[in-house]
């Protein structure tokens, strides 16, 4: 069985530990041998997205030092994985081990489907669920086809969710619009960011979702922040929590 | 980012929630039309790839193709003029008009002349300029600028246009029926067309092989403006060139579908030389384009065919309005082109994006828009244009992330404070996150504390 380096992004570590634990349970249930390197912190995405390359570079180098030795690296966060796969090249191109790292870092659901070949996630989740497609997972990792492109439809996360017993996946009017988180964008452009988030929530609510799920705790943190402030009834769950919980 | 920029303008637009949502819906409707038309072509992605390649190839040999174009256009009887910048462009156009005593000019939409600010230039010299595209005419009557490159008056509701037309064109008070208003505008424009002594158009594509220029419109006004008066001036940026006539079909199929969700534009007019007894002038403008061509990170932005699809799809544009970008070309592509012109003035634009990437996937010529926006952020930071506070925060965070013990301590302290500080303090003015949102939970233990095992 593959030996996996578990990457728990900083904000998941600090604010959503249960998401990390759920990812651990899921991976272990599928026979993965996990390693959790204790020195890991942050992939540097906030700095990179702010254009602060000088501040990003040492974190990218650090990430390679810590995770370069594993056969696979898995994280419950599409945007952090995209950072490694699509944005580290600027800092690490040509460094020994980088090619291996880039090709073997996976988002959790992607890992289950593409590498472990999981077709059905076991378990039961008898609820109406709305899937929020996080943009980086969608358009940078291609976890699903995206509504802009004319290609054969596929959706790795939805496929896992749909295989649960009793689940109803609701249909949104705007299948994959951004929730407005966008890292520092959420603070920098607070007005538009919050309007986008509320629009996303409204779309899920109109579709009758009881639970909003997704691959990125960051998008969900933004949506949940609005939901709690506005006292809306809809719940938010990371897909790892949902899948791990469904298995019972 | 010292001066007021996109965030402030966007917040003002978004403050009128109903209006911002109406704007969002109007543009989303166009995006859906585009989706249907794109999906009707199984070869859509292949077409995009093809268009990208043709553009890249043309850019790599632009000087050659421009010369070929000039040769063939001249042979067909057109006069080709070269303008280094906006000022020179305006001077050339005015020169042609002044030499022939023209005082009444009709124009069919050209974003290039907006970019060069031709209208005020000519008006100051006694020439009446009438924009003849309905949307452009509306903003011209309202003394505004286009808020979108394909739908210039998309920010105006039909009721507002009714009031404007009532005041300016004498339509019935309170009328807002689009058919009625359009008819009134038509009548008004007909007089302008008949009285015009020269017509000016933009150029969607210029073909090196034939020396012809191609203009796509839906209202047929480019044809009215170029067939009634004897003088036709066509203004184009150097990047409008395609090598062969055969390349054109790739772009016309992509353009109409991406722009408005139509299978083809209503009128695609080809101009090869002047009409009998008339004159055709083609003004080819650089105005910063060759500088962009020389800068590899943003070269691909020059492939833009100005379809506006990236604006319609952009969740930020839809909710912040075209004017919030403070530039002739707004939206994702504008946020790349504008800082290239004037980084100080447009420093907030590359940050006015959640980097969702929808623009890159919708773009018919596959410009990697969201990656270019990200690249711009890096350049602006390198130029020292990130506010000192934000830069410092990033430096500090980076330092903490490099020192795991410090990170663990910081995390513990942070979570403790989040759990125990009074709400009034946590949600003070400094907390932009917390103005409309609750902060994320602060669990007692972090993942690494719960996971416990030293395993790596
Ligand atoms: S960047 Fe692409 S999508 Fe945007 S206007 Fe230009 S061609 Fe259209």
């Amino acid at each position: 069985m593959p030996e996996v380096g578990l990457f728990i992004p900083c904000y998941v570590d600090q604010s959503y530990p249960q998401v990390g634990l759920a990812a651990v349970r899921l991976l272990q249930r599928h026979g993965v041998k996990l390693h959790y390197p204790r020195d890991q912190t942050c992939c540097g995405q906030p700095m990179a997205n702010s254009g602060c390359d000088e501040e990003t570079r040492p974190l990218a180098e650090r990430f390679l030092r810590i995770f370069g030795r594993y056969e696979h690296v898995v994280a419950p966060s599409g945007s952090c994985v995209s950072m490694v796969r699509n944005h580290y090249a600027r800092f690490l191109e040509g460094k020994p081990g980088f090619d291996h790292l880039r090709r073997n870092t996976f988002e959790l659901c992607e890992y289950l489907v593409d590498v472990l070949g999981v077709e059905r996630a076991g378990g039961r989740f008898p609820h109406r669920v709305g899937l929020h497609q996080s943009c980086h997972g969608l358009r940078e990792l291609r976890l699903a086809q995206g509504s802009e492109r004319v290609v054969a439809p596929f959706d790795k996360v939805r496929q896992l969710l749909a295989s649960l017993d009793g689940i109803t996946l609701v249909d949104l009017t705007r299948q994959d619009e951004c929730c407005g988180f966008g890292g520092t964008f959420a603070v920098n452009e607070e007005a538009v960011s919050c309007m986008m988030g509320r629009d996303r929530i409204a779309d899920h609510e109109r579709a009758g979702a009881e639970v909003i799920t997704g691959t990125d705790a960051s998008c969900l943190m933004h949506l949940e922040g609005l939901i709690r402030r506005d006292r809306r009834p809809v719940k938010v769950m990371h897909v790892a929590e949902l899948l791990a919980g469904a298995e019972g | 980012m010292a001066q007021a920029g996109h965030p402030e303008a966007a917040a003002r637009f978004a403050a009128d929630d109903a209006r911002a949502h109406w704007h969002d819906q109007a543009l989303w409707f166009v995006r859906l039309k585009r989706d249907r038309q794109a999906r009707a072509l199984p070869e859509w992605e292949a077409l995009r790839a093809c268009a990208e390649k043709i553009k890249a190839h043309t850019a790599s040999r632009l000087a050659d193709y421009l010369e070929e174009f000039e040769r063939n256009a001249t042979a067909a009887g057109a006069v080709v003029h070269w303008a280094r910048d906006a000022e020179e462009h305006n001077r050339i156009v005015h020169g042609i008009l002044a030499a022939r005593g023209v005082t009444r000019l009709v124009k069919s939409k050209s974003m290039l002349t907006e970019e060069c600010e031709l209208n005020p230039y000519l008006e100051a010299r006694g020439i009446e300029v009438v924009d003849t595209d309905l949307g452009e005419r509306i903003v011209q009557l309202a003394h505004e600028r286009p808020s979108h490159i394909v739908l210039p008056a998309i920010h105006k509701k039909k009721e507002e246009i009714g009031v404007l037309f009532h005041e300016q064109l004498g339509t019935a008070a309170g009328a807002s029926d689009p058919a009625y208003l359009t008819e009134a505008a038509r009548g008004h424009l007909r007089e302008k067309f008949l009285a015009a002594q020269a017509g000016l158009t933009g150029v969607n594509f210029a073909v090196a092989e034939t020396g012809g220029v191609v203009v796509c419109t839906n209202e047929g006004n480019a044809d009215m403006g170029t067939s009634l008066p004897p003088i036709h001036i066509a203004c184009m940026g150097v990047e409008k060139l395609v090598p062969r006539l055969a390349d054109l079909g790739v772009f016309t199929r992509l353009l109409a579908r991406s722009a408005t969700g139509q299978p083809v534009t209503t009128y695609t007019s080809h101009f090869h030389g002047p009409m009998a007894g008339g004159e055709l002038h083609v003004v080819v403008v650089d105005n910063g384009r060759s500088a962009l061509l020389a800068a590899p990170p943003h070269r691909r932005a020059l492939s833009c065919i100005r379809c506006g699809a990236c604006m319609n799809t952009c969740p930020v544009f839809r909710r912040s309005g075209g004017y919030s970008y403070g530039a002739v070309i707004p939206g994702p592509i504008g946020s790349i082109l504008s800082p290239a012109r004037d980084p100080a003035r447009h420093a907030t634009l590359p940050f006015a994006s959640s980097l969702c990437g929808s623009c890159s996937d919708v773009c018919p010529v596959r410009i990697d828009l969201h990656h270019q926006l990200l690249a711009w952020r890096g350049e602006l930071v390198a130029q020292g244009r990130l506010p000192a506070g934000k830069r410092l925060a990033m430096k500090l965070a980076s330092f903490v992330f490099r020192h795991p013990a410090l990170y663990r301590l910081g995390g513990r302290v942070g979570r403790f404070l989040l759990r125990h500080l009074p709400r009034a303090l946590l949600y003070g003015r400094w907390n932009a996150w917390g103005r409309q949102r609750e902060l994320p939970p602060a669990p007692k233990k972090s993942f690494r504390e719960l996971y416990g095992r030293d395993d790596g």
Side-chain angles (χ1 to χ4, degrees):
Chain A
M1 257 298 155
E3 305 230 343
V4 165
L6 180 64
F7 166 37
I8 299 297
C10 54
Y11 70 99
V12 174
D13 176 40
Q14 294 297 330
S15 298
Y16 299 95
Q18 75 279 10
V19 170
L21 295 173
V24 168
R25 285 220 304 284
L26 266 180
L27 288 167
Q28 284 176 342
R29 232 170 254 167
H30 290 281
V32 171
K33 181 155 171 37
L34 277 179
H35 299 275
Y36 176 64
R38 310 278 307 175
D39 270 355
Q40 62 175 284
T41 54
C42 168
C43 64
Q45 193 187 176
M47 292 89 208
N49 278 2
S50 309
C52 296
D53 293 353
E54 252 174 69
E55 286 72 24
T56 314
R57 180 180 305 278
L59 297 176
E61 286 165 355
R62 210 170 167 272
F63 194 96
L64 174 60
R65 261 198 319 277
I66 293 173
F67 283 104
R69 68 183 90 140
Y70 298 104
E71 190 181 346
H72 297 142
V73 178
V74 177
S77 164
S79 69
C80 302
V81 168
S82 175
M83 178 72 196
V84 176
R85 219 143 81 188
N86 301 314
H87 300 282
Y88 267 7
R90 227 150 20 106
F91 310 104
L92 301 177
E93 194 74 79
K95 290 243 159 86
F98 171 58
D99 231 36
H100 170 84
L101 177 76
R102 171 167 49 184
R103 264 185 284 120
N104 292 288
T105 302
F106 301 95
E107 185 278 327
L108 177 67
C109 292
E110 179 185 43
Y111 189 69
L112 292 174
V113 172
D114 287 353
V115 183
L116 300 184
V118 175
E119 277 174 14
R120 296 185 56 81
R124 225 181 117 61
F125 196 79
H127 296 285
R128 294 177 63 84
V129 174
L131 171 59
H132 172 65
Q133 301 274 15
S134 288
C135 300
H136 285 181
L138 184 69
R139 302 194 188 88
E140 296 225 308
L141 301 180
R142 302 287 182 207
L143 299 181
Q145 90 275 13
S147 59
E148 298 88 359
R149 301 199 311 148
V150 180
V151 294
F154 66 96
D155 189 334
K156 297 172 189 178
V157 185
R158 197 179 174 93
Q159 168 194 331
L160 284 178
L161 288 169
S163 72
L164 296 174
D165 292 331
I167 197 168
T168 308
L169 283 164
V170 302
D171 289 321
L172 304 168
T173 352
R174 299 185 188 182
Q175 167 193 338
D176 51 21
E177 173 141 291
C178 176
C179 70
F181 172 65
T184 49
F185 175 83
V187 172
N188 213 358
E189 291 265 3
E190 183 231 351
V192 177
S193 167
C194 290
M195 185 181 279
M196 287 166 71
R198 289 209 172 87
D199 290 350
R200 272 337 270 147
I201 295 164
D203 200 353
H204 283 265
E205 286 185 339
R206 267 194 308 272
E210 299 162 69
V211 176
I212 300 177
T213 193
T215 50
D216 280 64
S218 49
C219 306
L220 299 177
M221 167 174 83
H222 165 65
L223 294 176
E224 192 178 22
L226 289 163
I227 287 169
R228 282 187 17 234
R229 176 63 61 88
D230 298 347
R231 298 176 196 284
R232 319 241 27 131
V234 63
K235 297 263 173 315
V236 168
M237 272 175 102
H238 190 277
V239 69
E241 289 176 275
L242 196 156
L243 291 174
E247 283 188 8
Chain B
M1 294 207 278
Q3 82 280 44
H6 188 272
E8 296 77 15
R12 275 197 300 280
F13 188 83
D16 187 344
D17 194 75
R19 191 183 186 87
H21 276 110
W22 165 80
H23 189 260
D24 165 63
Q25 292 287 355
L27 290 171
W28 185 256
F29 176 73
V30 185
R31 157 81 209 266
L32 289 179
K33 272 173 67 188
R34 171 262 170 215
D35 289 356
R36 271 195 298 279
Q37 284 299 333
R39 262 172 230 140
L41 297 187
E43 72 274 31
W44 182 255
E45 298 301 328
L47 268 180
R48 287 175 75 216
C50 188
E52 181 190 8
K53 281 215 191 88
I54 295 171
K55 281 289 183 182
H57 166 79
T58 316
S60 73
R61 298 184 31 195
L62 191 60
D64 297 343
Y65 283 125
L66 283 170
E67 276 175 28
E68 186 184 343
F69 171 77
E70 182 180 32
R71 255 196 328 275
N72 292 326
T74 310
V79 185
V80 179
H81 309 257
W82 300 91
R84 223 160 305 141
D85 55 21
E87 168 64 30
E88 200 173 351
H89 162 265
N90 293 349
R91 214 171 337 113
I92 291 169
V93 173
H94 177 246
I96 298 167
L97 298 176
R100 288 155 186 81
V102 172
T103 54
R104 290 184 307 270
L105 175 72
V106 284
K107 251 175 69 186
S108 175
K109 197 175 135 197
S110 153
M111 288 314 291
L112 177 64
T113 59
E114 279 293 328
E115 172 187 323
C116 296
E117 306 192 35
L118 179 69
N119 286 16
Y121 185 95
L122 293 181
E123 279 157 7
R125 286 159 184 77
I127 295 174
E128 183 201 40
V129 185
V130 176
D131 280 312
T132 60
D133 308 78
L134 183 54
E136 296 264 323
R137 187 62 186 143
I138 292 168
V139 292
Q140 193 184 28
L141 288 173
H143 304 290
E144 292 172 9
R145 309 189 82 178
S147 71
H148 184 295
I149 60 173
V150 174
L151 311 159
I154 189 70
H155 59 290
K156 282 204 176 312
K157 297 192 176 185
K158 56 184 194 295
E159 292 76 17
E160 293 164 340
I161 296 168
V163 172
L164 181 73
F165 278 15
H166 171 63
E167 286 164 2
Q168 304 265 351
L169 307 182
T171 51
S176 66
D177 173 39
Y180 167 74
L181 293 176
T182 308
E183 204 38 57
R186 266 217 194 112
H188 154 78
L189 283 172
R190 194 166 301 135
E191 289 165 25
K192 298 291 180 187
F193 278 126
L194 288 170
Q197 300 148 307
L200 186 149
T201 68
V203 170
N204 288 93
F205 306 99
V207 183
E209 180 186 49
T210 64
V213 295
V214 179
V215 186
C216 307
T217 68
N218 275 322
E219 298 161 28
N221 46 338
D223 306 82
M224 294 277 279
T226 53
S227 46
L228 288 175
I231 303 161
H232 174 192
I233 305 174
C235 298
M236 60 177 269
V238 290
E239 83 284 8
K240 295 292 176 187
L241 215 58
V242 297
R244 301 162 307 169
L245 192 59
D247 301 323
L248 204 59
V250 173
F251 292 98
T252 49
R253 295 183 85 196
L254 288 166
L255 176 66
R257 289 180 166 88
S258 300
T260 50
Q262 294 166 271
V264 284
T265 336
T266 316
Y267 303 89
T268 299
S269 311
H270 297 242
F271 298 95
H272 296 99
M275 64 163 113
E279 295 175 45
L280 171 63
H281 297 266
V282 182
V283 188
V284 186
V285 186
D286 185 328
N287 204 29
R289 286 163 175 76
S290 53
L292 212 59
L293 196 66
H298 304 302
R299 179 174 299 162
R300 282 171 77 181
L302 262 197
S303 309
C304 174
I305 57 173
R306 302 288 192 266
C307 70
C310 58
M311 292 154 209
N312 303 340
T313 207
C314 178
V316 178
F317 182 97
R318 280 188 260 115
R319 291 172 181 82
S320 64
Y323 293 141
S324 66
Y325 293 80
V328 174
I329 312 267
I333 184 65
S335 298
I336 295 162
L337 296 173
S338 305
R341 285 254 153 70
D342 186 348
R345 194 165 144 223
H346 299 293
T348 57
L349 294 187
F351 295 88
S353 162
S354 62
L355 302 180
C356 74
S358 184
C359 48
S360 305
D361 276 354
V362 96
C363 177
V365 285
R366 288 172 45 119
I367 300 174
D368 54 342
L369 291 151
H370 75 295
H371 289 155
Q372 298 224 8
L373 289 170
L374 186 58
W376 256 121
R377 293 183 186 186
E379 285 168 52
L380 291 166
V381 170
Q383 291 177 14
R385 296 187 200 281
L386 194 68
K390 287 185 183 165
R391 186 70 196 274
L392 190 67
M394 290 301 160
K395 277 195 192 307
L396 195 71
S398 174
F399 183 81
V400 170
F401 288 140
R402 265 173 281 160
H403 298 86
L406 202 58
Y407 162 79
R408 285 194 295 273
L409 179 70
R412 266 206 297 282
V413 173
R415 279 181 280 119
F416 179 85
L417 292 178
L418 278 177
R419 284 202 314 280
H420 294 99
L421 281 182
R423 199 177 159 87
L425 243 173
L426 279 180
Y427 289 86
R429 279 174 53 85
W430 59 274
N431 182 356
W433 175 276
R435 273 199 281 270
Q436 301 189 51
R437 289 164 289 215
E438 290 299 297
L439 290 165
K444 278 214 174 76
K445 292 196 170 185
S446 66
F447 173 82
R448 75 190 55 220
E449 286 160 358
L450 289 168
Y451 190 59
R453 259 176 308 154
D454 204 355
D455 200 358

